[in-house]
Amino acid sequence: MVFHPPVAITAKAGDAGKYKVSLPAWNMVLRGFMAGAYIAMGGALATVCSTGIMATDAALRYGTASAGFAQLILGATFPVGLIIIVLTGAELFTGDAMLAPMAAFIHKVSWMQIINLWIWVYIGNLIGSLVFAYIMAYGPFTSWNAAGAATVTAFGARAIAIASAKVSYVGVAGMWSCFLKAIACNWLVNLAILLGICADDLVGKFFGIWFPIMAFVASGFEHSVANMYFIPAGILTQALGDPTTVNAGLNWVTMWTNNLIVVTIGNIVGGLFFVGVIYWVAFRKEIAALK
């Protein structure tokens, strides 16, 4: 296995960012669509695999699985999405929150180019996530009888529970908690991106990406693109089920006001400042010597 030193990883991140901001808008959206769908694939797998292992405190006394174990399974299965993204060249907004600014620091690309990349990739991520959320809601999350009526499956109930939890942030304290979780999330996501750059072989990239992503998901942090899938999947599945069980707090408005707006800002802070700026300051002299 070949591994690059930290200064080389940082320089390569800047090179990647420079390439990304040079893409035409249509390509940013297309690659963003791919990444949104891939993250959704990981989210769907994590939802299915973690179904049925969440236990109450009473159940714990009988030796059944715990909430922590459910989070471990959720985290262990989710990283497939980012692994596919890194290995196939798709565009993920949360990764670009670090890679594009690194290009500005190293190659002096403009911040307008960075914002342009963020906007188009974010739109693409959202479209891809929504498409896959629809596929899951009308596929594995529901079952259909001969009359065309839908019943929410156990997997669908789990999807609704995940989505409901993600829009439960209320008040200043709730929003602050959500913001901090978003910072921590993209700190780990972009460390995964750097570890993916670190290795040249498939196995090295796989494990470099897998561990930080597993850590962020299992820890319960908030990822904007993942939530573009998780919340719509819950909303769409809920709409197909029993109307008497609908959670009124889970809807297209709270998706943004109780989660995505704050999480997106927190993800930018986590990627830009806690990885991009820190690594640039730490290695800028060595990077200048490489030129």
Side-chain angles (χ1 to χ4, degrees), residues 22-283:
S22 69
L23 294 170
W26 69 265
N27 207 329
M28 294 176 183
V29 174
L30 179 61
R31 297 187 191 197
F33 170 86
M34 293 157 56
Y38 299 159
I39 287 293
M41 291 173 190
L45 176 64
T47 300
V48 170
C49 292
S50 64
T51 297
I53 58 177
M54 187 72 76
T56 64
D57 289 341
L60 289 175
R61 292 198 289 271
Y62 297 95
T64 57
S66 68
F69 185 68
Q71 286 298 109
L72 176 62
I73 297 301
L74 198 73
T77 51
F78 181 85
V80 61
L82 189 62
I83 291 169
I84 295 173
I85 288 168
V86 171
L87 296 181
T88 63
E91 287 296 329
L92 184 66
F93 168 77
T94 48
D96 290 342
M98 178 271 293
L99 292 171
M102 289 289 276
F105 302 148
I106 297 173
H107 298 291
K108 310 302 182 185
V109 304
S110 74
W111 283 92
M112 283 305 300
Q113 287 177 285
I114 292 170
I115 293 171
N116 180 68
L117 174 69
W118 285 354
I119 290 172
W120 290 118
V121 170
Y122 194 90
I123 292 171
N125 288 168
L126 179 60
I127 297 170
S129 299
L130 289 172
V131 168
F132 207 79
Y134 181 88
I135 290 172
M136 293 302 296
Y138 282 80
F141 292 166
T142 50
S143 61
W144 299 80
N145 62 23
T151 301
V152 174
T153 65
F155 303 138
R158 173 68 169 149
I160 294 170
I162 291 173
S164 296
K166 289 186 174 296
V167 297
S168 64
Y169 300 104
V170 293
V172 175
M175 289 295 101
W176 181 243
S177 173
C178 185
F179 179 68
L180 293 177
K181 289 179 182 179
I183 291 175
C185 167
N186 217 28
W187 195 342
L188 280 164
V189 168
N190 281 287
L191 290 176
I193 296 292
L194 291 181
L195 290 178
I197 294 172
C198 175
D200 284 336
D201 62 286
L202 178 62
V203 174
K205 289 182 180 293
F206 176 91
F207 283 105
I209 296 167
W210 187 85
F211 278 101
I213 301 303
M214 181 274 289
F216 109 65
V217 177
S219 299
F221 298 148
E222 295 288 348
H223 187 269
S224 57
V225 181
N227 292 348
M228 291 176 187
Y229 161 76
F230 281 124
I231 301 174
I235 294 171
L236 292 171
T237 304
Q238 177 176 257
L240 295 172
D242 184 352
T244 64
T245 64
V246 168
N247 172 11
L250 175 60
N251 56 64
W252 297 109
V253 174
T254 58
M255 167 180 164
W256 293 97
T257 59
N258 291 21
N259 190 283
L260 276 183
I261 293 174
V262 172
V263 171
T264 299
I265 296 170
N267 285 168
I268 292 173
V269 172
L272 171 57
F273 294 102
F274 285 81
V275 182
V277 170
I278 287 177
Y279 272 81
W280 163 242
V281 172
F283 295 105

